[in-house]
Amino acid sequence: MTIREFKMPDVGEGLTEAEILKWYVQPGDTVTDGQVVCEVETAKAAVELPIPFDGVVHALLFEEGVTVDVGQVIISVQTGPADEAPVETAAAAPAAAAPAPAAAEPEAPAARQPVLVGYGVSTASTKRRPRKAAPQPAVAAQNGTGVAPAAPAPAAPAAPAAPVAVPAQGGAGKALAKPPVRKLAKDLGIDLAAVIPTGDGGVVTREDVHAAAAAAITPQAVAPQVPAAPVAAQAAPAAPAQAPAEVPGSARETRVPVKGVRKVTAQAMVGSAFTAPHVTEFITFDVTRTMKLVQELKEDPDLAGLRINPLLLIAKAVLVAIRRNPDVNASWDEAAQEIVLKHYVNLGIAAATPRGLIVPNIKDAHAKTLGELSQALSGLVATAREGKTSPADMQHGTITITNVGVFGVDTGTPILNPGESAILAVGAIKLQPWVHKGKVKARHVTTLALSFDHRLIDGELGSRFLADIAAVLEHPRRLITWS
């Protein structure tokens, strides 16, 4: 048979790694060109990866939750005639231990391969990571069918390569398991031979190892010979994830690996905070007229079906203020020692998602009408909440708005999004006593906070920009007069 390998592609621009969130296929499944085989998270985006050829899944090289470098092989597919696999595997089973891995892992041909955008093809022959010299019966489980050949255990102890099909033989041989599962068992101190498998063909899965670890710390669950155990492992695969909480003394602390969105956010914030000298200014003002305009626009037939809210008018106010203060819409090029003035506005909107904070942006927001801006804003937020924001949607932003007011917060001191010069934090809009026309009345009041890069925005420019945003929102007719 012919085995072709699919590598982790660079689905963005210059990405170096991605975390495998979910596999949609398993060994033995048939796949077609363009079929989505897994979902990965990279650069704060969840992306579905299609495979560029037809065949039968031979092996999944990484488990879910593992971070993989771009260019590493993540899945292998058998593209040759299906009837070749059993013959080849059967011939290799009684052979010596050394050639067994080679029989299960033939190299891909040097023929041209279809590729994805950002995914290159290496002209060199494909290579797999070296395995241990000791025989691994798990190789037989990856023969394209996911089932080990039922060969009897040899009487002579000098021939350890004969596979053991099922653990019912009383541990006469090594358990069937993939390398990542073996490593997990080793890290947890679990003997694979004592684990009751639930995978196809008697293969020990990751969940089986976690279940065994949970049983090891629960006195009443230490009997692996109970026949109901495999059913329990299948019915409650999520239970092992809670096992560490039951370990005496370990509940005082929980360690969470830094990866995915959190890792990217941390790197970006540290880089920004310690690269750009931040200055934050605040302004508190009356937005009662803006709130009235929001209600009027909701009743406008021309805007029927569109989402009209204060954030929409705040975004429009920012665009008007940029038109009056264009030097704010710029970036600092450290390498060239230049200030790059942007003649377009890609307006970023910070969004809290289940995977963490992301900042997608509305491309060419300056050229959009109020209705178009509303549609773009609604689509951006909906896509972010679904976890479907693409890396392209988060690149090349020029200025950002973060709405902390939705959490009831008055304001904050936001950190700049890397590559941008300013970020506006919008506080909660509340009814407060306010002097209006010489009398104290209940008015809608909010506070804005503007953080900016002091290398290219002086205090005067930053203050004028913030004051203009407030002026538009205090008297929204300026959306017309200043446009």
Side-chain angles (χ1 to χ4, degrees):
M1 61 180 176
T2 301
I3 300 298
R4 298 184 66 177
E5 298 175 332
F6 178 59
K7 300 177 181 179
M8 177 68 74
D10 178 0
V11 296
E13 295 182 1
L15 301 178
T16 60
E17 63 183 18
E19 177 186 351
I20 297 177
L21 297 179
K22 183 178 180 62
W23 282 109
Y24 295 121
V25 296
Q26 293 297 325
D29 291 352
T30 300
V31 293
T32 58
D33 188 353
Q35 178 180 337
V36 174
V37 294
C38 68
E39 182 181 24
V40 301
E41 183 181 52
T42 176
K44 300 186 179 183
V47 182
E48 292 182 333
L49 296 183
I51 198 158
F53 39 77
D54 302 333
V56 176
V57 177
H58 176 261
L60 306 181
L61 286 250
F62 294 94
E63 300 283 338
E64 294 177 357
V66 177
T67 299
V68 182
D69 290 338
V70 170
Q72 280 192 287
V73 177
I74 60 175
I75 180 175
S76 60
V77 175
Q78 174 187 332
T79 58
D83 58 354
E84 291 182 10
V87 176
E88 194 167 329
T89 305
E105 299 179 15
E107 296 185 349
R112 180 183 178 276
Q113 301 180 19
V115 298
L116 298 174
V117 176
Y119 172 73
V121 177
S122 174
T123 55
S125 61
T126 58
K127 295 182 179 180
R128 305 292 286 274
R129 290 179 295 178
R131 298 194 176 190
K132 295 180 180 179
Q136 296 289 342
V139 175
Q142 297 179 357
N143 60 7
T145 63
V147 181
V164 178
V166 292
Q169 298 173 344
K174 292 186 178 179
L176 300 180
K178 297 179 181 179
V181 178
R182 292 184 179 278
K183 182 179 184 302
L184 175 64
K186 181 180 179 182
D187 294 341
L188 297 179
I190 300 299
D191 182 6
L192 282 176
V195 177
I196 299 179
T198 61
D200 294 339
V203 176
V204 177
T205 66
R206 192 180 187 88
E207 288 73 18
D208 296 336
V209 174
H210 281 301
I217 61 173
T218 307
Q220 61 270 31
V222 297
Q225 71 275 12
V226 178
V231 178
Q234 292 176 342
Q242 301 175 358
E246 301 175 9
V247 181
S250 68
R252 292 172 63 87
E253 294 182 355
T254 300
R255 289 181 174 268
V256 180
V258 179
K259 58 182 181 179
V261 173
R262 178 56 55 195
K263 182 177 181 179
V264 174
T265 301
Q267 293 172 343
M269 293 300 96
V270 170
S272 176
F274 292 95
T275 300
H278 285 56
V279 173
T280 305
E281 295 186 340
F282 308 88
I283 188 168
T284 302
F285 58 101
D286 182 1
V287 291
T288 303
R289 293 184 180 90
T290 289
M291 297 304 291
K292 290 180 179 179
L293 179 58
V294 168
Q295 295 302 318
E296 293 174 1
L297 292 175
K298 287 182 177 181
E299 299 172 1
D300 190 331
D302 294 335
L303 298 176
L306 298 179
R307 183 175 177 82
I308 308 298
N309 55 23
L311 181 60
L312 174 62
L313 296 185
I314 292 171
K316 197 66 176 176
V318 169
L319 296 173
V320 171
I322 289 176
R323 183 175 300 177
R324 290 170 57 85
N325 305 275
D327 289 351
V328 167
N329 192 46
S331 63
W332 181 273
D333 188 336
E334 180 67 26
Q337 286 295 292
E338 295 175 340
I339 295 175
V340 183
L341 300 175
K342 310 293 178 64
H343 304 301
Y344 58 91
V345 181
N346 290 344
L347 182 62
I349 304 293
T353 73
R355 291 192 174 95
L357 176 68
I358 65 173
V359 188
N361 59 76
I362 301 173
K363 300 294 192 289
D364 294 325
H366 65 287
K368 297 186 182 297
T369 64
L370 189 66
E372 293 170 342
L373 191 62
S374 174
Q375 290 178 331
L377 187 59
S378 297
L380 178 148
V381 173
T383 303
R385 287 176 178 172
E386 294 171 359
K388 301 299 183 181
T389 303
S390 68
D393 290 336
M394 294 182 286
Q395 295 169 348
H396 310 302
T398 62
I399 192 169
T400 294
I401 297 175
T402 176
N403 186 10
V404 298
V406 296
F407 306 109
V409 176
D410 290 334
T411 192
T413 54
I415 297 178
L416 295 171
N417 203 28
E420 300 178 9
S421 63
I423 179 172
L424 180 73
V426 180
I429 299 175
K430 301 178 180 179
L431 275 175
Q432 297 183 16
W434 194 263
V435 178
H436 177 67
K437 295 182 179 179
K439 298 180 179 180
V440 177
K441 297 182 179 181
R443 305 285 287 181
H444 286 97
V445 177
T446 192
T447 299
L448 300 181
L450 178 73
S451 291
F452 54 87
D453 187 342
H454 214 344
R455 292 176 299 179
L456 63 159
I457 299 179
D458 295 331
E460 178 188 4
L461 176 58
S463 300
R464 283 204 318 266
F465 178 64
L466 181 60
D468 281 353
I469 297 173
V472 171
L473 295 173
E474 192 166 16
H475 299 281
R477 66 175 181 270
R478 288 175 174 145
L479 288 170
I480 299 175
T481 60
W482 284 4
S483 294

